[in-house]
């Protein structure tokens, strides 16, 4: 069974500008700001009776801020079109993390084993869950780390070579960054024998992409596109 009263609000602002400079240069730049108001409150249990133990519920709130800025130049010459640009990605989790260097603090274990077990109400009751839930935003004794901001600069490159009026060869290369899902960054998973500490400073996943292709127009109505590509993905978190 499952109960879910989560919600997510996203506030987003985007702006772009394009300018033609002479015959050969078309400059483009833009910025995007994205602020997410994320609240997760959900429980899943398998027995027929409603349970309020920490291992069956997710409860957290966060407001991660993402900013993207890019600039590119499109150069057009006889026999070649070149797109070259840079993108800056900024991520602020807006929340302190926790110190997880070895040896780990004993305070992590105590949250469930000692603190939860001695809260008012019986085990698995709503009364005890409410008392425990109020501790989740700032678990007592957990050693905190500073809020860590991430900034990455990504190159982008695209080249096209017309062969005839109806065909061309092209090559694209770029780095791309993506923010981890909120459940990886903010959710604390607790069991009697273990705890998964949320890392708000979890690195953004990076993808390096290469693409080489050939495009052919047939009878002015059809396009045949043959593409070979390679992607190297790093830092993508494992499914919990």
């Amino acid at each position: 069974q499952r109960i879910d009263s989560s919600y997510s609000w996203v506030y987003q602002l985007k702006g772009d500008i394009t300018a033609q400079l002479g015959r050969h240069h078309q400059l483009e730049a833009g910025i995007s700001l994205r602020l997410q108001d994320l609240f997760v409150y959900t429980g899943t249990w398998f027995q027929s009776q409603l349970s309020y133990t920490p291992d069956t519920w997710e409860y957290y709130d966060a407001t991660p801020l993402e900013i993207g800025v890019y600039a590119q130049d499109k150069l057009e010459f006889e026999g070649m079109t070149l797109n070259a640009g840079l993108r800056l990605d900024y991520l602020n989790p807006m929340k302190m993390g926790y110190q997880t260097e070895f040896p780990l603090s004993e305070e992590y274990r105590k949250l469930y084993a000692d603190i939860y077990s001695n809260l008012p109400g019986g085990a698995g009751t709503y009364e005890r869950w409410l008392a425990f839930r109020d501790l989740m935003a700032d678990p007592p004794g957990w050693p905190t780390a500073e809020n860590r901001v991430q900034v990455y600069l990504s190159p982008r490159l695209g080249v096209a070579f017309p062969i005839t009026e109806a065909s061309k060869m092209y090559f694209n290369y770029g780095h791309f960054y993506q923010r981890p899902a909120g459940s990886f960054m903010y959710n604390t998973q607790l069991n009697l024998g273990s705890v998964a500490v949320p890392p708000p400073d979890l690195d953004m996943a990076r993808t390096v992409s290469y693409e080489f292709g050939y495009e052919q127009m047939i009878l002015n109505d059809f396009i045949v596109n043959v593409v070979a590509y390679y992607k190297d993905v790093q830092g993508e978190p494992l499914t919990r």
Side-chain angles (χ1 to χ4, degrees), residues 168-239:
K168 68 176 181 180
M169 298 180 66
Y170 60 89
F171 170 77
N172 295 312
Y173 165 79
H175 290 209
F176 305 87
Y177 288 89
Q178 183 176 14
R179 194 203 83 188
S183 58
F184 290 104
M185 297 173 63
Y186 302 110
N187 182 39
T188 301
Q189 289 188 329
L190 291 172
N191 292 283
L192 187 58
S194 65
V195 55
V197 179
D201 61 348
L202 186 63
D203 288 341
M204 299 174 72
R206 186 190 73 170
T207 299
V208 180
S209 176
Y210 303 84
E211 182 182 67
F212 179 77
Y214 174 80
E215 185 177 290
Q216 175 70 55
M217 180 178 290
I218 302 175
L219 301 177
N220 294 324
D221 292 318
F222 303 96
I223 294 179
V224 176
N225 195 13
V226 180
V227 181
Y229 65 89
Y230 171 79
K231 290 185 178 181
D232 179 20
V233 181
Q234 298 181 8
E236 197 167 78
L238 300 174
T239 302

Side-chain angles (χ1 to χ4, degrees), residues 144-169:
T144 58
E146 293 297 322
N147 178 59
R148 173 175 168 252
V149 171
Q150 299 181 52
V151 180
Y152 298 98
L153 194 62
S154 311
R156 308 283 171 85
L157 179 66
V159 186
F161 302 95
I163 301 173
T164 67
E165 291 185 356
S167 63
K168 68 176 181 180
M169 298 180 66

Side-chain angles (χ1 to χ4, degrees), residues 13 23 29 46 78 85 94 107 110 122 133 193 198-199 206 239:
L13 179 65
R23 294 179 54 193
F46 299 102
E78 185 176 352
M94 307 284 277
E107 301 299 327
K110 292 179 181 179
R133 190 186 67 182
R206 186 190 73 170
T239 302

